[in-house]
Amino acid sequence: MSELIITNGDAAADILAAGGASGRIVPWRDVLHEGPLIPAAGLGSFSEVRAGYLSERFDIPLAETSADFLMRDAVVKAHAMFDRVSIWLEHDLYDQLQLLQILHFFQTEGRAEGLRLIQADDFLATQSPETVLRFADDATPITKPMLATAASLWKALTDPSPEGLFRQLRSPTGSFRFLRPALGRFIEELPALHGGLSRTEHIIASSVAAGGINARDVFARLLASEDAPFMGDWSAFRTVDDLVDAGEPLINGPESKYPCQGEANDIEAYLTAPLALTRFGRSVLSGDADMIAVNGVDRWWAGTHLQGHDCWRWNSTSRHVVPPGGDETSDGLSAAKQEPAHE
């Protein structure tokens, strides 16, 4: 039986191969929790947008990023050559967003036969070759209703506001047992109603506020704060850079951005440079100032382009998403009405 195996990255692909997984293994390699997720005519068009974003965000040559997506997409588009397609993904947000994109693709292709999902409640890359294949014991055949659910959630993510996703999360997610907590965590990456920081930004600023800390320490604390860590070091350090380079900085730190593909000495200098909260950063953390009101914002949350000084926000107290122009008294769309995180 010919098999296509899709997983989250190179480390997982290597472990699966070492463990004896047979077939063509394709790593997905995309940090979908940042940058634009916009409607596209097909996988190729979407990959062009993502390649452009990743190239600019992480200083990767566009030709390199584009070629990587082109090779991945060519194999996936040739899925008819494979009797079985096995999707090996984990419980965290990074993987769950990839899961929705992948299943949306197969739904548009009209394929359900031979698809199966292996969902790990631990990180594949931390397994040994002797243990990694145990997750296949709980493999789930992917049905047409599952494809429809995933495609509907993916469409909601690519909508130009968070409203659609909230509506979708009121419905059961069926066999996708990790989707609800993962997407709930993603919602917290919207700017907070008070202060304007995403949850990740708040964790970083709060860590720096404790004093005597550098970027390496911040990343360790960020990972420790998550039930299911999802953010890699490049994304984390770029978030630190955003807070350092803001019009009114929240953090005093390295003079240059994290050198994603730099020399070892340059990387070490960045990681060990001391970080300190600015007076403005302390005001934001205390609730006396608002980052977006002062600095504005220009970033993507899925299909929502957060721009200017008035944007969608997240009220963590009332568990409401608040539209532009709203405040804590706005009706919004409440996450509190959703079903519990675990079904």
Side-chain angles (χ1 to χ4, degrees):
M1 172 182 289
S2 58
E3 183 175 18
L4 173 62
I5 297 171
I6 303 173
T7 191
N8 59 20
D10 295 286
D14 291 343
I15 289 291
L16 287 170
S22 59
R24 179 67 181 272
I25 304 177
V26 175
W28 205 250
R29 296 197 199 106
D30 197 357
V31 286
L32 296 168
H33 55 78
E34 65 167 295
L37 306 183
I38 60 176
L43 182 59
S45 298
F46 186 85
S47 293
E48 287 182 14
V49 174
R50 294 297 303 171
Y53 172 79
L54 296 174
S55 174
E56 181 177 357
R57 180 66 166 164
F58 300 115
D59 298 325
I60 307 170
L62 179 58
E64 178 183 326
T65 313
S66 298
D68 182 64
F69 278 122
L70 190 63
M71 288 187 290
R72 180 199 75 180
D73 294 351
V75 175
V76 174
K77 288 177 181 178
H79 62 87
M81 297 172 54
F82 301 92
D83 300 311
R84 184 165 74 181
V85 179
S86 297
I87 302 167
W88 287 73
L89 292 173
E90 299 158 2
H91 58 312
D92 61 282
L93 174 61
Y94 178 91
D95 285 48
Q96 293 299 298
L97 290 175
Q98 291 183 350
L99 174 61
L100 292 180
Q101 184 190 9
I102 293 165
L103 293 188
H104 171 261
F105 166 77
F106 283 112
Q107 198 266 351
T108 60
E109 291 283 295
R111 175 167 183 175
E113 183 178 358
L115 301 185
R116 65 173 189 158
L117 174 62
I118 295 92
Q119 299 189 93
D121 59 358
D122 198 357
F123 297 102
L124 296 172
T126 65
Q127 305 301 305
S128 70
E130 292 74 30
T131 63
V132 69
L133 295 186
R134 65 188 170 88
F135 294 110
D137 294 340
D138 296 321
T140 302
I142 296 172
T143 63
K144 289 183 178 179
M146 289 172 67
L147 288 175
T149 296
S152 183
L153 283 165
W154 180 254
K155 180 183 181 304
L157 280 164
T158 63
D159 283 346
S161 86
E163 294 175 291
L165 181 63
F166 274 87
R167 293 194 182 97
Q168 290 295 325
L169 286 177
R170 291 178 173 180
S171 300
T173 53
S175 298
F176 303 118
R177 55 196 174 105
F178 302 122
L179 263 181
R180 198 181 304 281
L183 293 176
R185 174 62 185 88
F186 190 37
I187 288 163
E188 295 176 332
E189 287 303 287
L190 286 167
L193 180 62
H194 301 293
L197 298 176
S198 69
R199 175 172 161 179
T200 295
E201 291 170 335
H202 190 276
I203 293 168
I204 290 172
S206 297
S207 298
V208 174
I213 198 168
N214 56 39
R216 179 180 280 125
D217 301 325
V218 165
F219 184 55
R221 294 189 186 188
L222 181 61
L223 295 181
S225 72
E226 301 284 359
D227 292 332
F230 66 90
M231 186 170 288
D233 53 354
W234 286 15
S235 292
F237 298 141
R238 275 293 179 265
T239 307
V240 172
D241 295 338
D242 293 341
L243 299 178
V244 171
D245 296 336
E248 185 67 41
L250 283 79
I251 294 174
N252 288 324
E255 295 182 359
S256 59
K257 293 183 177 181
Y258 178 68
C260 294
Q261 301 190 88
E263 299 293 330
N265 288 343
D266 294 333
I267 292 174
E268 185 64 17
Y270 177 96
L271 295 177
T272 56
L275 303 177
L277 217 59
T278 64
R279 180 180 298 178
F280 177 64
R282 292 189 180 279
S283 295
V284 171
L285 276 184
S286 68
D288 295 328
D290 187 278
M291 184 181 73
I292 291 176
V294 173
N295 288 325
V297 64
D298 184 8
R299 69 175 176 89
W300 290 84
W301 181 90
T304 303
H305 195 180
L306 304 169
Q307 286 182 296
H309 298 270
D310 188 16
C311 65
W312 285 93
R313 298 203 185 207
W314 170 243
N315 186 335
S316 60
T317 302
S318 65
R319 301 195 62 76
H320 279 69
V321 63
V322 181
D327 56 29
E328 62 266 34
T329 64
S330 299
D331 288 336
L333 190 57
S334 175
K337 296 180 181 178
Q338 298 171 17
E339 295 178 351
H342 297 282
E343 296 178 81

